[in-house]
Amino acid sequence: MDHFPTNWGRPRNDAVDLYNTFPIHQRPSNVPKDAFSAGIQHTQQPIVTGTSVLAIKFKDGVMMAADNLASYGSLARFRNIQRLCPVGEHTVLGAGGDMGDFQYIQAILDELIIDEFAAGDGHTLGPKEVHNYLSELMYARRSKMNPLWNALLVGGFKDGERFLAFVDLLGTTYSASTLATGYGAHIAQPLLRSAVEGREDTLTEDEARKILEESMRVLFYRDARSLDQYQIATITAKGVDISESRKLETAWSFAEGIRGYGAQTQ
Amino acid sequence: MTSIGTGYDLSASTYSPDGRIFQVEYANKAVENSGTAIGLKVKDGVVIAVEKLVHSKLLVPGANRRIQTVDRHIGLATAGLPADGRTIANRARDETANYRDFYRSPPPLQAIVERVGQFVQVYTLYSSVRPFGVSTILGAVDKNGPALYVIEPSGVFFGYHGAAVGKGRQLAKTELEKLKLSELTAREAVIEAARIIYLVHEDAKEKEFELEMSWIGPETNGIHLPVPKDLFDEAESKAKEALTSGLE
Amino acid sequence: MSRTPVSLPQQHQFNPYSENGGTILAIAGANFSVIAGDTRQSEGYNIQTRYAPKVFRLTDKAVLATNGFAADGNMFVKKVRQRLEWYRHAHARDMSLHAIARLIQTMLYQRRFFPYYVYNILGGIEDDGSGAVYSFDPVGSYERETCRAAGAASSLVQPFLDNQIYFKNQTAPPGSAHPTHLPLAHVLSLVIDSFTSATERHIEVGDGLEMYVVLAKGSPLQGLDTIHGVTELTNIPGGERMFVIRRSLKRD
């Protein structure tokens, strides 16, 4: 049993600060020390961070969502940052974690896409290729003990096939019909699973959007590192569409009834 | 030729007594033997067209392209040794990649032409290397609007409104001069480019050729792309028409 | 209880490893081999996905199951497959099972000081037609065995296998001996029971079960034709045959 309440519900793996709490305060560490840690130099920690990215499959493709906030610890530092970006004609990349690393990844991918375009051979990179490239990149960097500190979702549609997969700073990959990174993996993923699993082939674009919007709202209520400004990316046979920034409708009147939060004096 | 037998033409690192570098001039000869390539910088874009001489009926149509893409918004055509042309294109791609890596923005064409020009020039300095046997037409629409340059085997480069290199360059230049380039649209320029290529090919009529055309303009979103089939076919048939009516 | 001194800045050591749960298991018969794994991939209390294969077909007669850190596992399988392809190009045939086993040991030991955090079990058919299982530790120690379980629930499954396959703590009736090899149908039901039990008692095991069965050349189907959910993966007359059987496991 862990006797430090501040550690409860936190990831067992101290390398992944899913809550983006650094550098707010220090937490006592009662995690067993890694046997390899003694002789190896530490590399880095995420500084300016993005929180959750959500993604689901639906009838015609894949839909993703991420808010526009980049935090500096507990400071909401950049409130108009893009965490969803198109990669080629069939793919969207969504990122949580270090935004500097994410922007570096975007530059690498842009060069990759230009190289493919310049080849002019009629081939284009699809989401599978982009995801595999990223998994090799992330795994190679973690193997150099110099990771790109991100959790990435790759969504896309090519040749009549939906694709949705995850890759993170360790090079860990997986695929499912609903995915969520960061805090969203705890809060939104269960909601997404109950809304989507088994209905991937019937959900309409509007229904998918509603599911994501509702999950983003729950995240905004519960995740202190989130923002009510967010974007939605839709990838279908027609290509990639990343929405303008939109604002969540939220209601906080219930807070008035909470003792110690509202206007009550005692 | 005056240079032959004098010994001054064996190396790019030796001037002739009257100040010439014969190896560079020979490189220009290689260019002159090549099918014509032209570039048109117009009001809203750039068009590149090539008369690709096909030396064998056994070749697959579309093989050995002479128009290449350097970056999303930059295209290039070469006249001369095709293999040298690919080396130039690869170098240009490396330079755009380097520029993007350094400045995190799409390179203006002039920056790339300066670098590639320098690269070409270096091959005129040493006895151990051969100058490039190509003249390169580079076209782009960058932050400053449409741009068109030619790099010659000497490494020298100039910006142009209309450019022509290769066998039929003289006639092509005359035709280009007749056009009001700064008033044409890219779409109109495609028609003119096809016409000019077909016209200059008249002198080498016995040889087969393929027309290659690419453009960068508002209709391509500022991206270097092959001219789409419908426009290409229209331009080609108009070119043939103009040729027959001109002969009558 | 050790507390980090407040004066020191927080050292945020990057840990290049993670554990992704799940369990794998392989059992060798006289002329067959069964290699199985669940399909759940998790990290801590999070189920990352309910379907991430841990069992991989390498050749027509070799199957590799990996367990531990999933990124290392996938990368390792990729590298092994690459080496097997090079071998095919050089020798125009598939590498034999014992050679794959040694290859895997060499590849693992090459990373002795930055190991692939993966437990491997290789199953298949040897050149002599016998079913074989090789098990490895993360740095390459390996041995040929009749059965082996690895991964999150190995401590639950292995003792069960010891008892049911090796007949440990069982005394044979006087005048008789325990069989050295069990029939395929029996082995399959042991595998299924192992995973349903592991799913009950271990939170990191569940969702799906993938069982690969490799049959030696010319051996009968031994009841495989009557079991439901079988797919044959091979199509070479007279060669080894490979099947995969997929079952669902509890998702809680």
Side-chain angles (χ1 to χ4, degrees):
Chain A
M1 177 69 192
D2 186 346
H3 297 281
F4 291 95
T6 48
N7 282 350
W8 292 353
R10 291 183 185 281
R12 293 177 181 181
N13 183 344
D14 192 46
V16 187
D17 188 6
L18 291 173
Y19 300 87
N20 303 316
T21 48
F22 185 87
I24 312 172
H25 65 287
Q26 280 187 273
R27 283 185 276 131
S29 167
N30 54 358
V31 176
K33 281 276 171 282
D34 181 64
F36 295 96
S37 66
I40 299 173
Q41 289 271 312
H42 82 290
T43 305
Q44 51 157 298
Q45 58 209 249
I47 305 295
V48 176
T49 59
T51 181
S52 326
V53 187
L54 311 182
I56 57 175
K57 288 184 180 174
F58 69 100
K59 185 163 68 79
D60 306 313
V62 173
M63 200 177 278
M64 306 170 71
D67 68 26
N68 295 112
L69 179 66
S71 307
Y72 180 74
S74 56
L75 174 69
R77 181 65 181 79
F78 302 104
R79 298 160 61 83
N80 192 211
I81 205 177
Q82 293 225 19
R83 300 199 291 120
L84 298 173
C85 79
V87 182
E89 294 150 51
H90 319 281
T91 312
V92 169
L93 174 65
D98 193 279
M99 288 297 104
D101 284 354
F102 173 53
Q103 286 169 4
Y104 170 71
I105 288 169
Q106 285 180 65
I108 290 176
L109 290 175
D110 196 37
E111 198 50 51
L112 181 74
I113 295 297
I114 289 170
D115 281 354
E116 289 299 317
F117 175 69
D121 53 10
H123 294 285
T124 51
L125 294 184
K128 275 183 199 169
E129 290 79 18
V130 171
H131 177 259
N132 196 245
Y133 181 92
L134 284 171
S135 71
E136 293 270 346
L137 174 70
M138 301 298 270
Y139 184 80
R141 288 291 297 259
R142 86 99 217 188
S143 298
K144 290 179 191 160
M145 294 299 281
N146 184 200
L148 294 166
W149 214 282
N150 299 105
L152 305 168
L153 294 188
V154 179
F157 193 98
K158 196 189 173 201
D159 301 331
E161 222 180 303
R162 291 171 298 197
F163 181 88
L164 177 56
F166 169 97
V167 56
D168 68 7
L169 72 167
L170 294 174
T172 307
T173 56
Y174 51 90
S175 178
S177 55
T178 68
L179 289 177
T181 72
Y183 207 92
H186 299 89
I187 296 290
Q189 179 70 303
L191 303 170
L192 296 177
R193 280 180 182 161
S194 59
V196 173
E197 272 183 7
R199 285 192 279 272
E200 294 89 347
D201 298 324
T202 50
L203 278 178
T204 65
E205 191 173 321
D206 285 342
E207 288 171 322
R209 192 173 294 112
K210 269 216 177 75
I211 291 166
L212 284 183
E213 190 186 319
E214 197 47 44
S215 303
M216 290 303 283
R217 192 183 344 269
V218 174
L219 277 172
F220 178 58
Y221 279 131
R222 289 294 175 186
D223 179 0
R225 305 282 175 269
S226 70
L227 196 66
D228 53 356
Q229 307 256 45
Y230 70 107
Q231 283 171 291
I232 283 196
T234 315
I235 315 101
T236 61
K238 279 182 260 166
V240 168
D241 174 72
I242 298 179
S243 76
E244 289 296 301
S245 186
R246 52 181 74 191
K247 202 167 161 83
L248 282 168
E249 299 265 322
T250 45
W252 295 93
S253 54
F254 69 89
E256 292 299 317
I258 299 172
R259 190 195 295 266
Y261 198 98
Q264 309 95 325
T265 45
Q266 62 154 97
Chain B
M1 256 187 282
T2 53
S3 53
I4 293 171
T6 60
Y8 293 111
D9 66 343
L10 298 176
S11 160
S13 68
T14 308
Y15 283 107
S16 80
D18 47 354
R20 293 153 66 183
I21 299 165
F22 287 118
Q23 280 297 321
V24 172
E25 296 187 16
Y26 297 163
N28 278 304
K29 293 281 180 208
V31 177
E32 286 168 25
N33 291 332
S34 152
T36 316
I38 60 173
L40 292 77
K41 187 183 84 164
V42 293
K43 187 171 60 179
D44 59 357
V46 171
V47 173
I48 297 173
V50 162
E51 169 210 18
K52 186 173 74 190
L53 298 174
V54 179
H55 65 270
S56 166
K57 283 190 194 310
L58 297 175
L59 282 169
V60 174
N64 303 318
R65 280 180 318 202
R66 280 176 52 197
I67 297 180
Q68 300 175 82
T69 302
V70 173
D71 197 337
R72 273 194 256 268
H73 63 298
I74 304 175
L76 122 195
T78 56
L81 306 178
D84 284 18
R86 286 190 277 272
T87 302
I88 296 293
N90 282 330
R91 180 63 180 218
R93 285 170 192 150
D94 288 350
E95 294 297 349
T96 58
N98 175 266
Y99 186 100
R100 289 188 104 102
D101 195 26
F102 205 85
Y103 297 106
R104 284 285 186 269
S105 69
L109 184 58
Q110 182 178 319
I112 299 310
V113 168
E114 279 169 9
R115 295 185 189 193
V116 177
Q118 191 160 137
F119 172 70
V120 170
Q121 191 274 148
V122 164
Y123 281 73
T124 69
L125 293 175
Y126 304 96
S127 58
S128 56
V129 293
R130 156 178 82 68
F132 285 100
V134 287
S135 279
T136 310
I137 297 176
L138 291 113
V141 175
D142 57 30
K143 63 173 185 185
N144 305 310
L148 184 72
Y149 288 85
V150 174
I151 306 174
E152 293 172 24
S154 61
V156 76
F157 58 86
F158 294 106
Y160 291 91
H161 283 103
V165 294
K167 196 174 292 183
R169 68 191 177 288
Q170 287 304 350
L171 180 52
K173 281 178 187 168
T174 323
E175 287 298 314
L176 285 168
E177 281 169 15
K178 289 183 197 163
L179 299 171
K180 290 200 162 70
L181 285 167
S182 54
E183 291 170 20
L184 289 182
T185 64
R187 184 169 271 273
E188 290 162 344
V190 167
I191 308 288
E192 297 298 337
R195 183 182 61 77
I196 293 171
I197 291 294
Y198 266 83
L199 182 69
V200 302
H201 181 69
E202 278 298 285
D203 294 335
K205 218 173 177 180
E206 66 285 359
K207 285 185 183 149
E208 292 281 315
F209 87 105
E210 259 177 39
L211 174 62
E212 258 183 64
M213 287 198 292
S214 69
W215 63 336
I216 311 159
E219 290 183 66
T220 71
N221 260 167
I223 289 173
H224 179 244
L225 289 174
V227 170
K229 189 165 185 319
D230 53 347
L231 178 58
F232 185 95
D233 291 345
E234 181 193 339
E236 200 171 37
S237 66
K238 279 189 177 159
K240 288 174 181 167
E241 227 171 83
L243 216 54
T244 49
S245 64
L247 287 175
E248 281 158 15
Chain C
M1 194 68 56
S2 70
R3 288 191 65 127
T4 323
V6 181
S7 57
L8 281 176
Q10 181 177 329
Q11 286 283 315
H12 208 93
Q13 168 66 38
F14 171 63
N15 178 185
Y17 293 110
S18 179
E19 281 225 52
N20 299 105
T23 278
I24 52 171
L25 150 64
I27 300 172
N31 57 0
F32 66 85
S33 191
V34 178
I35 308 93
D38 70 327
T39 65
R40 174 177 292 181
Q41 189 178 110
S42 59
E43 189 171 33
Y45 293 135
N46 285 121
I47 295 172
Q48 295 180 317
T49 179
R50 300 189 190 279
Y51 185 71
K54 282 193 280 288
V55 190
F56 304 94
R57 175 185 178 183
L58 295 180
T59 66
D60 288 340
K61 55 188 174 193
V63 174
L64 181 62
T66 62
N67 197 253
F69 174 33
D72 268 354
N74 290 326
M75 191 55 66
F76 185 70
V77 169
K78 203 184 240 177
K79 301 263 177 204
V80 170
R81 282 181 162 159
Q82 192 174 54
R83 293 289 293 267
L84 293 177
E85 185 171 331
W86 292 345
Y87 183 95
R88 263 197 306 278
H89 292 318
H91 300 104
R93 62 183 172 82
D94 283 333
M95 196 184 280
S96 56
L97 195 72
H98 67 273
I100 297 175
R102 174 58 72 87
L103 173 72
I104 287 172
Q105 104 78 212
T106 310
M107 292 175 69
L108 289 170
Y109 194 78
Q110 270 175 347
R111 290 276 298 266
R112 173 62 181 77
F113 298 110
F114 186 16
Y116 287 111
Y117 187 37
V118 174
Y119 287 88
N120 282 289
I121 302 177
L122 176 71
I125 304 294
E126 288 286 13
D127 288 343
D128 65 5
S130 61
V133 163
Y134 290 90
S135 69
F136 302 79
D137 82 350
V139 290
S141 304
Y142 79 116
E143 62 176 333
R144 185 176 168 180
E145 296 179 289
T146 305
C147 76
R148 171 60 67 183
S154 61
S155 56
L156 278 64
V157 176
Q158 189 66 50
F160 172 69
L161 259 30
D162 289 344
N163 181 253
Q164 292 294 307
I165 307 275
Y166 290 124
F167 298 101
K168 291 284 165 64
N169 299 102
Q170 283 193 263
T171 315
S176 67
H178 291 302
T180 47
H181 288 296
L182 297 169
L184 177 58
H186 189 107
V187 166
L188 283 177
S189 65
L190 285 178
V191 171
I192 291 168
D193 287 353
S194 297
F195 276 95
T196 44
S197 309
T199 302
E200 287 294 332
R201 284 290 185 172
H202 201 118
I203 57 166
E204 293 172 4
V205 180
D207 292 331
L209 171 60
E210 268 183 342
M211 293 176 285
Y212 281 71
V213 181
V214 198
L215 294 184
K217 282 178 187 167
S219 68
L221 281 175
Q222 307 175 53
L224 261 184
D225 42 340
T226 58
I227 214 163
H228 81 88
V230 195
T231 318
E232 176 154 13
L233 303 172
T234 44
N235 185 24
I236 300 158
E240 286 86 1
R241 299 179 74 178
M242 191 181 292
F243 302 83
V244 62
I245 304 162
R246 293 198 171 85
R247 291 290 165 84
S248 52
L249 292 172
K250 284 170 75 175
R251 291 151 61 93
D252 55 7

